[in-house]
Amino acid sequence: MSGREVARASVLGELISASHLMTLEQLPGTVASYADRAGWPQVLIYLADLRQERLCLLAGDRDALPGAADAPTDLAVDGTVAGRAFQLGRISPASASTTGQWWVPLLDGTERLGVLRVGLPGAQVEADDDLDRLAGLVALLVESKRGTSDFYSRLVRRRKMRVAAEMEWRLMPPRTFATDRLLISAVMEPAYEVSGDAFDYALAGDIMHLSVFDAMGHDTAAGLTANLALAAARVQRCQGAGLLQTAEGVGAALTEQFAGRRYATGIMAELNLGTGMLTWTNYGHHPPVVMRGNRTVLHLSCPPAPPLGTGLGVHGALGHDQLEPGDRLVLYTDGITEARNEKGQEFGLEGLTSFLIRHHADGLPVPETLRRLIGHHVAYHDGRLDDDATVMLLEWHGPTPYEPAQLKALTGLPPTITADTIASAWHR
């Protein structure tokens, strides 16, 4: 390591040590102070709002934060250089002029949090690998602080949130997740009014567990139903239950609580990452589809059981489907396919899959494709959705790891990710 790299590593280590008792409000000033010592002047943190439409300046004390006084308080994701860095996961100059300011994506794993604005006058930022490390550390610090901060919630929310939506977002896993052999990304809308939809995933060894629920109704009780279904499924999974036993546990929890007055449709699935075998079960829900080769849409089939919580005593069945490397599995709720525009036209399953296929061909990261899908879907329905709309997309690469360039294209990971990094991170 060079002398500069050693000095920067020391500064980043000191920042970690300083972070243990730090609040989110204190984070911007502390990061800026330590970053300046490492040769990165006037670092500003911008975080994406809930719908990922705006980038909001995180500034506990704006007057005391270097460079913040003249900086915009928020920026649009669409149509700005900062937004472009967020969308594509690429370090970008703040303008065509030689301002010495750069936008750097903030990623917690593969979950997009926002961007950094960093001053590097006269520097060759493309060769500054340490900049990615700074952004990675800041992202981890933001993630560690935001869950206990109302300051964060007030910053990233652009409108009043319903109680059911508050419950939903608190329980959801990150919207994007990746390992060496798969990528998962999900979206849920209307973000501030969602009530009955929920998605979940979790990894146990080589098995990825997936579920999507759609609870009856559009009120707070629907949110309670969806939250109970998701929590009951997690309890069963963590006890080692199989899919049908998990579904029975969910149904029993709903029936016990609501005595058949409330129910939820759902898909629960398991994907073996080593073999690509998908096992799944359907309880009154739209079956998933597989997009293969960016052109073929395969409609999966499994005998459906009644929705969970009806108490009818009808047992579910298992479906088994073999995925091929590169396949994309799509789970969704009826709010994405059955909602109609003012002319009475449904968006439809074909509208969903056609959009995903077109934008996959554009080479966009998967989270960005889904962000644009939701924007397109809301616009198609004249800016208002009468039902929750959820999409969860999983891409299985196959039994061997992605190449670094593939992961970068799919998720927007920084250029410092190498084949050796991937191999060491998932070494078995």
Side-chain angles (χ1 to χ4, degrees):
M1 295 177 66
S2 67
R4 187 185 71 166
E5 290 172 333
V6 171
R8 284 182 168 178
S10 176
V11 169
L12 295 179
E14 291 173 18
L15 177 56
I16 294 174
S17 298
S19 71
H20 293 292
L21 301 179
M22 191 189 307
T23 66
L24 188 71
E25 291 93 329
Q26 294 169 327
L27 182 62
T30 306
V31 166
S33 175
Y34 279 86
D36 185 62
R37 287 172 47 196
W40 297 302
Q42 297 190 350
V43 169
L44 299 179
I45 304 170
Y46 283 81
L47 301 179
D49 75 315
L50 183 62
R51 297 187 67 195
Q52 298 184 334
E53 296 176 329
R54 309 290 299 183
L55 296 167
C56 311
L57 177 64
L58 177 65
D61 183 357
R62 184 167 179 168
D63 292 335
L65 189 60
D70 299 325
T73 56
D74 67 274
L75 295 157
V77 169
D78 293 315
T80 66
V81 177
R84 191 74 172 166
F86 173 80
Q87 292 173 40
L88 302 182
R90 298 174 187 167
I91 297 177
S92 303
S95 69
S97 62
T98 55
T99 60
Q101 294 178 349
W102 301 83
W103 295 108
V104 185
L106 276 179
L107 290 171
D108 174 44
T110 53
E111 174 79 342
R112 304 186 300 178
L113 301 183
V115 292
L116 291 184
R117 197 193 76 177
V118 181
L120 279 175
Q124 294 294 320
V125 72
E126 293 87 351
D128 193 346
D129 293 343
D130 291 337
L131 202 52
D132 285 326
R133 298 183 178 96
L134 171 66
L137 176 56
V138 172
L140 289 173
L141 294 178
V142 169
E143 179 62 26
S144 71
K145 306 298 180 183
R146 66 176 179 170
T148 55
S149 172
D150 282 348
F151 180 73
Y152 172 81
S153 298
R154 292 168 182 169
L155 177 71
V156 302
R157 296 180 185 182
R158 314 296 291 185
R159 359 177 337 205
K160 183 179 179 181
M161 181 174 283
R162 289 175 57 179
V163 172
E166 179 74 39
M167 291 190 295
E168 297 290 284
W169 285 113
R170 293 287 183 179
L171 200 61
M172 294 302 99
R175 281 180 277 197
T176 303
F177 172 80
T179 74
D180 59 334
R181 289 174 290 173
L182 71 79
L183 165 72
I184 294 176
S185 194
V187 286
M188 193 165 63
E189 190 68 30
Y192 297 94
E193 299 169 355
V194 66
S195 52
D197 278 10
F199 67 87
D200 196 23
Y201 60 83
L203 190 62
D206 264 0
I207 303 299
M208 174 57 74
H209 299 274
L210 309 164
S211 57
V212 169
F213 298 106
D214 184 356
M216 160 195 172
H218 308 290
D219 53 8
T220 302
L224 291 169
T225 306
N227 274 255
L228 180 56
L230 195 152
R234 287 178 175 174
V235 166
Q236 294 292 325
R237 285 201 328 257
C238 291
Q239 293 174 348
L243 283 176
L244 296 183
Q245 186 180 353
T246 297
E248 289 178 4
V250 173
L254 295 180
T255 302
E256 179 183 359
Q257 182 65 37
F258 300 112
R261 297 186 302 273
R262 289 276 173 176
Y263 58 82
T265 69
I267 297 286
M268 282 163 280
E270 296 176 350
L271 176 65
N272 187 307
L273 302 188
T275 67
M277 177 57 68
L278 177 73
T279 305
W280 61 288
T281 186
N282 182 356
Y283 286 79
H285 201 86
H286 288 284
V289 297
V290 170
M291 297 190 304
R292 178 166 293 165
N294 199 33
R295 58 184 183 276
T296 304
V297 178
L298 306 177
H299 299 262
L300 305 187
S301 178
C302 172
L308 298 156
T310 54
L312 298 177
V314 180
H315 299 291
L318 293 178
H320 302 276
D321 292 275
Q322 180 63 54
L323 298 190
E324 296 181 1
D327 278 354
R328 290 186 165 188
L329 175 71
V330 182
L331 288 75
Y332 60 95
T333 62
D334 57 11
I336 201 77
T337 55
E338 295 183 1
R340 299 176 182 271
N341 62 13
E342 62 180 7
K343 298 179 181 178
Q345 299 168 322
E346 283 188 351
F347 190 70
L349 180 57
E350 183 178 356
L352 168 62
T353 55
S354 296
F355 186 97
L356 294 175
I357 288 172
R358 286 197 313 273
H359 284 71
H360 175 53
D362 293 339
L364 291 174
V366 172
E368 180 58 21
T369 294
L370 293 188
R371 188 189 75 87
R372 296 187 186 193
L373 167 68
I374 283 296
H376 174 72
H377 184 63
V378 171
Y380 182 87
H381 296 99
D382 305 306
R384 178 172 179 81
L385 299 179
D386 296 323
D387 193 8
D388 300 341
T390 299
V391 178
M392 182 161 64
L393 184 153
L394 178 148
E395 177 177 300
W396 180 61
H397 180 258
T400 58
Y402 286 104
E403 292 295 327
Q406 293 173 308
L407 274 178
K408 293 171 194 174
L410 287 169
T411 65
L413 283 173
T416 48
I417 297 296
T418 65
D420 289 341
T421 306
I422 296 171
S424 62
W426 292 285
H427 177 69
R428 286 178 172 81

